[in-house]
Amino acid sequence: MNLPPLPEPLPHPVIDSHCHLDSAFEVSGLDPAEAIEQAAQVGVTRIVQIGCDLAGARFAVEAAERWDSVIAGVAIHPNDAARMRPDELPLALAEIEQMARRPRVRAIGETGLDHYRTRDEAGHQTQRDAFAWHIALAQATGKTLVIHDRDAHADVLDVLDAEGVPERVVMHCFSGDADFARACLDRGAWLSYAGPITFKPNEQLRAALRITPLDRILTETDAPYLTPVPYRGRANASYLIPHTARFMAEVLDRDLVEVCGALEQNAYAAFGGPWG
């Protein structure tokens, strides 16, 4: 297991607003229970576990019901939706709907659009239809919509506007510039910044962060992916959030305690209140 060392603990608790504990185990061998414990040691006291397919959604529900510090999000990822046979997708969505009504499920996601890995128009249409379905489910259940958006900024906003923006929306791993940030903020979204904000070329992300109100920022790992500097290229885990949180505080030129406090309270607000 070639994982980075634990960083210096944060001075105030922070929440990992988007994680895949099951995928992290597959990639790095880090057991979910150990991952949760290591995160707590450095001040990352809560985790939002996201399921992207039926197996991942089932795991997310089980994890949230096993560990008090974990809540779940369930959905069919847009790329998975585009790859499913026409007879498979409705059955998968029906199971997602059943899971979504469980108390420890706080989010519908990650759902959205991905024009990077899915490039054909038929796949794009399937993604749009699935995204609209998930938006309706978030509205019906009153749960937070977690949006995956890769190379699809304008289309994501078009679908949101057409279907109606749910009460709570999180832009997972925000990847746009300041103009797109303003457009998302105008729709009431929280913007979640992950490891890529620490990458040297991504000045547009830092510009977006600077114009995001302090009460609208979140942070996440998307573990085991998107590991922040100085460990880019190695497997990610929730315990590495301190690197991203400290970097964000520097970009914002704000006290680290203040930023951490906002990140914690914003996550509670974004996902329907405290848990644990």
Side-chain angles (χ1 to χ4, degrees):
M1 191 189 314
N2 185 27
L3 284 163
L6 268 66
E8 180 183 351
L10 291 167
H12 185 285
V14 167
I15 294 168
D16 183 352
S17 71
H18 194 110
C19 182
H20 304 282
L21 293 165
D22 48 342
S23 297
F25 177 72
E26 293 173 2
V27 168
S28 68
L30 182 61
D31 180 77
E34 185 178 359
I36 293 167
E37 173 58 31
Q38 289 181 337
Q41 289 176 31
V42 299
V44 182
T45 59
R46 303 285 185 275
I47 292 171
V48 182
Q49 167 66 22
I50 298 293
C52 293
D53 55 20
L54 284 182
R58 292 168 189 148
F59 175 86
V61 173
E62 292 169 1
E65 293 178 348
R66 176 178 176 184
W67 291 292
D68 290 343
S69 61
V70 177
I71 57 170
V74 297
I76 301 299
H77 189 284
N79 289 324
D80 289 271
R83 295 183 189 119
M84 284 185 169
R85 297 194 314 267
D87 61 322
E88 288 181 314
L89 184 55
L91 296 174
L93 294 178
E95 186 171 344
I96 292 294
E97 182 174 8
Q98 291 180 337
M99 286 188 275
R101 300 185 184 278
R102 299 178 77 125
R104 297 291 295 181
V105 174
R106 295 280 193 96
I108 307 302
E110 60 190 278
T111 180
L113 303 176
D114 190 315
H115 291 176
Y116 178 78
R117 296 196 182 279
T118 298
R119 303 192 178 186
D120 60 289
E121 182 51 39
H124 288 176
Q125 186 58 54
T126 298
Q127 289 189 355
R128 286 192 289 270
D129 292 342
F131 186 24
W133 183 92
H134 285 92
I135 292 171
L137 182 60
Q139 293 167 333
T141 58
K143 299 189 178 182
T144 304
L145 183 71
V146 175
I147 295 178
H148 171 101
D149 162 33
R150 189 163 187 189
D151 294 354
H153 302 334
D155 286 348
V156 163
L157 296 181
D158 286 346
V159 176
L160 265 181
D161 291 343
E163 302 300 323
V165 181
E167 180 181 358
R168 295 185 304 277
V169 174
V170 171
M171 298 301 296
H172 148 58
C173 189
F174 183 79
S175 60
D177 58 13
D179 288 340
F180 185 60
R182 290 187 185 94
C184 295
L185 292 166
D186 287 345
R187 290 160 175 81
W190 284 269
L191 310 186
S192 185
Y193 294 92
I197 199 168
T198 70
F199 301 171
K200 188 174 181 179
N202 289 343
E203 181 54 39
Q204 84 284 356
L205 288 181
R206 294 184 280 277
L209 175 61
R210 291 186 187 101
I211 65 96
T212 305
L214 192 61
D215 65 354
R216 286 285 146 176
I217 63 169
L218 299 171
T219 192
E220 63 173 89
T221 56
D222 199 25
Y225 316 109
L226 306 181
T227 310
V229 171
Y231 298 108
R232 183 179 182 182
R234 296 172 68 177
N236 204 359
S238 293
Y239 72 77
L240 294 173
I241 279 277
H243 293 292
T244 306
R246 287 189 167 93
F247 187 90
M248 290 169 66
E250 292 175 6
V251 171
L252 294 169
D253 194 23
R254 288 181 177 267
D255 179 74
L256 179 60
V257 174
E258 178 189 21
V259 171
C260 289
L263 291 169
E264 181 188 38
Q265 292 307 309
N266 295 348
Y268 288 146
F271 291 100
W275 68 92

